[in-house]
Amino acid sequence: MKRKMKAAVLMLTMAVGATLFAVQASAENSAGGDTEFAPDNPDLAVATFAGGCFWCVESGFEKIPGVVEAVSGYAGGHVDDPSYEEVSSGGTGHTESVQVYYDPTKMTYEGLLQGFWRMMDPTDAKGQFVDRGNQYRPVIFYHNEKQRRQAEAAKAKLQASGIYDKPVVVAIEPLKKFWPAEKYHQDYYKKNPIRYHFYTFNSGRYQFIEKVYGEDYELDFSRFKPDAMDAPSTSKGFDPDAFTKPDDQTLRRELTDLQYEVTQEEGTETPYDNRYWNNKRAGLYVDIVSGEPLFSSRDKFSSGTGWPSFTRPITPDAVVEKKDTSFFTTRTEIRSRYADSHLGHVFDDGPAPTGLRYCMNSAAMRFIPLEEMAAEGYGQYIDEVKGESGAGN
């Protein structure tokens, strides 16, 4: 995804781009208005984003694994079926947007959000790069309440990360109507690569993003792929007598790279960039490998560390403590009792009533919402989840 260009290549691009500009513009102005660009597959999930020039945002999303199609268009305005000329004038209230059709079995909405941050500037609400005005403002248009919650959590996490010096101001709004753009705008980066690269380089978009993220520019999307072991279990609850830990080959196949690294190689995930650090829903946290109950949301609290933290395990014998002398210090490691998964560490700087902080890795656990616990066979733990703890979360 690196877009740094050599001086010679830039000069060639500018020369050829200038030659072709008039011919391309003429062809675009006479292009048809076919707007049937969405894939005909009801199993695909849909998400909508605005990040300035929709050529760039469409290109960015179509590089994300699991995305089947990204359609350029307009959203957020008050005029039906607007034209590009009307939107670009700034009088319709619309912003250039992209509707993303993706396979939810291959990529999560969270993955799309993380990819979105690496396509635009979330601190600029008045436009994006050289494109100024309301028609280029950044927006996450949510389709349902789940998307809204995830978008707000991702925005808060981005703000807390300290990546940007300015506040994160990208808007989060309900999608009322998406109008596909004219045919000549669809897949523009593929059909007009010379002019597209000429525009993007001069806009400064990717130079800005590379400067912000540096070596972290390339996002590991495998962290956001749904996994069979990260989905609701088809078995009922957890039976220690029936559980046998899968062999290493099976674990490597069924766990994501990050889940395997954390649970089997004592790895540590990135703070403020993991699934449950800011999860406030009531429910049960179970081992990602075995499904054995580990922690209750009732005992979860905000530790300010960027990792999910608890004052105690759901039962005294739910976890195992081991001495850890790595990194030239002595710590107390926490592992699951039956799967022997590395979960994290426990520290004595937590709040009442225990004074302990069980600092865990999200990648080592699966969260089961309170309303789904009975159906998944964890009904006996509902009383341990209901109610409020003294620490809060």
Side-chain angles (χ1 to χ4, degrees):
M1 292 177 66
K2 294 288 186 182
R3 295 171 172 79
K4 295 179 178 177
M5 303 174 66
K6 300 291 186 181
V9 176
L10 175 59
M11 293 301 294
L12 177 61
T13 298
M14 293 174 66
V16 177
T19 302
L20 296 180
F21 182 89
V23 176
Q24 291 177 346
S26 176
E28 288 164 4
N29 289 335
S30 62
D34 180 16
T35 57
E36 298 300 321
F37 310 113
D40 185 17
N41 184 347
D43 293 329
L44 297 179
V46 186
T48 307
F49 303 88
C53 171
F54 47 24
W55 299 344
C56 304
V57 181
E58 178 185 345
S59 171
F61 276 111
E62 289 194 342
K63 292 178 174 64
I64 295 179
V67 172
V68 175
E69 185 66 66
V71 178
S72 290
Y74 317 108
H78 53 78
V79 176
D80 289 350
D81 197 16
S83 68
Y84 175 72
E85 289 73 18
E86 290 175 320
V87 173
S88 61
S89 71
T92 68
H94 290 284
T95 182
E96 287 195 8
S97 307
V98 170
Q99 192 134 284
V100 182
Y101 297 85
Y102 66 103
D103 185 342
T105 68
K106 296 180 179 180
M107 183 52 58
T108 60
Y109 183 67
E110 180 182 0
L112 299 185
L113 289 166
Q114 295 305 316
F116 182 55
W117 302 142
R118 286 165 172 78
M119 301 177 200
M120 40 76 77
D121 179 2
T123 69
D124 188 353
K126 297 182 179 180
Q128 289 288 287
F129 308 101
V130 296
D131 297 311
R132 312 311 301 165
N134 187 69
Q135 64 271 38
Y136 297 108
R137 68 191 179 99
V139 186
I140 299 172
F141 291 103
Y142 61 86
H143 290 238
N144 51 54
E145 281 301 297
K146 182 177 180 180
Q147 286 190 355
R148 181 189 64 78
R149 290 194 300 269
Q150 288 183 288
E152 290 179 347
K155 179 180 176 180
K157 178 169 63 177
L158 186 67
Q159 180 66 61
S161 70
I163 292 175
Y164 298 95
D165 295 330
K166 300 177 182 178
V168 174
V169 294
V170 59
I172 299 174
E173 302 175 1
L175 179 69
K176 296 179 180 178
K177 180 69 176 181
F178 176 82
W179 300 97
E182 294 82 348
K183 187 175 182 178
Y184 69 85
H185 285 299
Q186 310 302 329
D187 293 319
Y188 191 91
Y189 72 101
K190 294 179 182 178
K191 297 183 292 187
N192 302 280
I194 295 176
R195 187 177 175 195
Y196 171 74
H197 286 295
F198 177 77
Y199 162 77
T200 56
F201 181 85
N202 283 282
S203 73
R205 176 183 292 261
Y206 295 115
Q207 295 94 320
F208 169 83
I209 299 169
E210 288 182 6
K211 182 179 180 181
V212 169
Y213 284 93
E215 294 301 318
D216 292 328
Y217 185 90
E218 301 285 351
L219 189 62
D220 178 12
F221 282 103
S222 68
R223 297 164 49 199
F224 305 105
K225 291 182 179 179
D227 186 88
M229 300 191 74
D230 200 29
S233 174
T234 56
S235 62
K236 295 296 183 181
F238 172 72
D239 182 356
D241 295 329
F243 173 71
T244 300
K245 184 176 180 177
D247 59 30
D248 187 70
Q249 182 177 1
T250 301
L251 288 173
R252 289 182 181 274
R253 183 178 66 251
E254 294 185 337
L255 295 173
T256 65
D257 292 343
L258 181 61
Q259 289 168 346
Y260 184 89
E261 179 187 354
V262 168
T263 60
Q264 308 305 306
E265 298 178 335
E266 291 76 52
T268 302
E269 63 196 359
T270 305
Y272 300 105
D273 191 15
N274 55 81
R275 182 163 297 181
Y276 303 131
W277 77 273
N278 198 33
N279 183 29
K280 300 182 185 300
R281 299 180 65 189
L284 180 69
Y285 294 82
V286 303
D287 184 276
I288 193 66
V289 173
S290 64
E292 59 193 277
L294 299 173
F295 298 95
S296 166
S297 61
R298 189 171 64 177
D299 301 312
K300 190 172 184 289
F301 70 98
S302 178
S303 64
T305 62
W307 289 287
S309 301
F310 306 84
T311 56
R312 58 190 169 194
I314 193 164
T315 60
D317 61 349
V319 298
V320 175
E321 295 185 0
K322 290 190 175 182
K323 185 178 181 180
D324 178 5
T325 57
S326 61
F327 298 105
F328 307 102
T329 187
T330 300
R331 298 179 295 173
T332 301
E333 179 192 10
I334 298 298
R335 305 185 71 90
S336 59
R337 179 167 296 279
Y338 296 96
D340 193 35
S341 301
H342 170 74
L343 304 175
H345 293 84
V346 62
F347 304 92
D348 59 2
D349 57 2
T354 66
L356 300 175
R357 171 171 59 93
Y358 286 82
C359 187
M360 302 293 100
N361 286 279
S362 294
M365 304 183 294
R366 179 168 72 90
F367 176 72
I368 304 173
L370 174 61
E371 61 271 20
E372 298 175 14
M373 287 174 58
E376 289 208 35
Y378 294 94
Q380 70 268 39
Y381 297 99
I382 288 178
D383 288 342
E384 298 297 326
V385 170
K386 284 185 175 179
E388 299 181 356
S389 70
N393 65 352

